[in-house]
Amino acid sequence: MQSPAGFRKFASIKIRTRNRRVPERVHMLSSEQGRNTFRARSLLVPTIIIFLAAYLMLSSSVGFGDVMASMAAIDLRVLAIVLALSLVNYALRFWRWSLMLSSSSIALPPSRHFLIYLTGFALTTTPGKVGEALRTFYLKPFGISARHCLAALYNERLLDLVAIGVLAMFIVASSGAVTRSFGLLGAALVTALIVAQHPATIARLERLSAFLPGRLIPSLTNAATTFLRDVRSMMTVRLAIVGTLLGLLAWGAEGFGTYIVARELGLNIGPLAAIGIYAVAMLAGALSFLPGGLGSTEIVMISFLAYAGATAPEALATTTIVRLATLWFAVALGLGAWSAIEAFPGPIAAGSGHTSERKSPHAASQNDPEGR
């Protein structure tokens, strides 16, 4: 029979061995998440290549030197104002986003929340901006479920479409049939998204799932109905009104930035027309479901600027500067915020006084050794 002293020695060795295995497991998961982060960021490479290739192709067709000369005519102080208007856009949209998650983000410091929100912009060039769902991974440690976050993302896209559709009316009403078709398609999409979360639609989907064969399709239908219920419960009348107004101000700010750039290049275009052109171009990009609207947004914006009296080099230069100051500025901020969050995990909850020891919100914890 083993003596008490020997048993204590054996137990201490076993405890030290067990405790030594935990950091190895955490390190392994952190390395795996680092690889996943690298793979996610690599998704940006194709969109950057597409943007550069399209820019070079269009520039060569209208005169590369003329385009560069037009871009060089922009005063740096004017460019700073345009970038500041983009920041206004991001701040207003974050305000709307925080209103959607106000009931579940009590433990989340506002500054940290804003950083997480900006992180989603790193993958905003994905089709339909679905890459912005990256925020769900960093909000989960603060008690915000993925279901709640995805519902907020859905409502954000819906309110954006409504706001951009309203701003597009500044130019759609006085344009041709092709432009009006964009307005009709946008209105149809908004109507479909609103109808999808109506209680009658959800009830029909639930009844339909009971008659569908197999397991996969009924389970997907049930998941869809649950998601739509989350969306509907979040979208109150107050949020719909306030969210639409904030969206109008946010996208109107970037549209006004388009006006400033156009005027700086000598284009005779009014602020309402510039905002309308920007909104129609954004709407065309959203309806194309291309990554970041690349290609479709640029073509529409260039076409409308040319119709307003700009030369081909001026229209291309204006469009390039606007896209750099809006889309690619957002991507750059998102990458910076993403790197900051990975480098400095920050507090687990507001006022907790503790910092996260993980380099990623997916790393394992004591209560959840598998990192789920």
Side-chain angles (χ1 to χ4, degrees):
M1 184 174 178
Q2 197 173 31
S3 64
F7 177 78
R8 284 194 297 271
K9 181 178 180 181
F10 171 76
S12 64
I13 292 173
K14 189 172 182 180
I15 290 172
R16 284 198 302 269
T17 304
R18 183 178 60 189
N19 290 339
R20 197 161 45 237
R21 286 197 296 266
V22 174
E24 293 173 0
R25 176 64 172 165
V26 172
H27 176 73
M28 183 182 70
L29 285 172
S30 298
S31 300
E32 181 181 352
Q33 286 303 322
R35 289 192 296 271
N36 291 337
T37 297
F38 176 80
R39 285 195 292 267
R41 288 176 180 170
S42 66
L43 294 174
L44 289 172
V45 176
T47 58
I48 294 174
I49 293 174
I50 292 172
F51 175 79
L52 291 175
Y55 170 74
L56 290 174
M57 183 174 63
L58 290 172
S59 297
S60 61
S61 64
V62 301
F64 184 79
D66 294 336
V67 174
M68 293 303 296
S70 296
M71 293 181 64
I74 293 289
D75 190 288
L76 290 180
R77 290 171 295 183
V78 173
L79 183 58
I81 293 174
V82 176
L83 292 175
L85 289 171
S86 293
L87 290 175
V88 170
N89 174 284
Y90 310 148
L92 291 172
R93 288 162 61 192
F94 168 69
W95 184 7
R96 183 182 61 187
W97 170 270
S98 61
L99 289 176
M100 295 179 188
L101 298 179
S102 59
S103 61
S104 55
S105 60
I106 300 175
L108 180 56
S111 58
R112 192 71 181 178
H113 195 180
F114 184 55
L115 200 63
I116 293 173
Y117 181 78
L118 289 178
T119 300
F121 290 161
L123 298 179
T124 196
T125 55
T126 51
K129 298 185 178 181
V130 294
E132 293 188 14
L134 172 70
R135 299 169 188 151
T136 61
F137 302 122
Y138 294 100
L139 290 173
K140 183 179 178 181
F142 294 94
I144 302 176
S145 66
R147 279 175 49 182
H148 203 184
C149 188
L150 291 175
L153 189 64
Y154 179 98
N155 282 324
E156 187 181 37
R157 294 286 79 80
L158 174 61
L159 293 174
D160 280 343
L161 279 172
V162 172
I164 292 172
V166 172
L167 294 175
M169 291 300 107
F170 290 145
I171 197 71
V172 167
S174 59
S175 300
V178 176
T179 307
R180 285 196 293 270
S181 66
F182 282 128
L184 291 175
L185 285 173
L189 181 59
V190 170
T191 303
L193 293 175
I194 294 174
V195 170
Q197 54 181 296
H198 193 274
T201 305
I202 297 174
R204 287 190 179 92
L205 284 175
E206 288 178 338
R207 288 196 297 269
L208 180 62
S209 64
F211 297 99
L212 292 174
R215 294 182 178 180
L216 178 60
I217 297 179
S219 63
L220 291 176
T221 305
N222 289 331
T225 55
T226 302
F227 172 73
L228 291 174
R229 287 188 184 279
D230 291 339
V231 168
R232 180 170 178 79
S233 64
M234 180 182 293
M235 183 62 79
T236 62
V237 175
R238 175 178 175 273
L239 179 60
I241 296 173
V242 174
T244 300
L245 291 176
L246 290 175
L248 288 171
L249 292 173
W251 294 109
E254 287 194 345
F256 191 74
T258 302
Y259 163 73
I260 292 175
V261 173
R263 293 292 294 182
E264 182 69 9
L265 292 180
L267 303 184
N268 186 18
I269 183 173
L272 293 182
I275 292 173
I277 289 173
Y278 178 77
V280 170
M282 293 296 294
L283 189 59
L287 295 176
S288 69
F289 289 98
L290 292 172
L294 291 175
S296 55
T297 300
E298 285 79 4
I299 290 173
V300 171
M301 190 177 295
I302 290 171
S303 300
F304 272 91
L305 288 172
Y307 180 77
T311 63
E314 290 172 341
L316 180 56
T318 301
T319 301
T320 303
I321 293 171
V322 168
R323 292 292 271 171
L324 287 173
T326 53
L327 173 66
W328 295 107
F329 182 46
V331 171
L333 285 179
L335 288 173
W338 195 356
S339 299
I341 286 180
E342 288 291 327
F344 307 101
I348 295 176
S352 64
H354 301 286
T355 58
S356 172
E357 297 178 356
R358 298 166 302 208
K359 292 294 181 184
S360 167
H362 310 288
S365 63
Q366 292 181 353
N367 296 330
D368 189 3
E370 297 299 325
R372 290 187 291 268

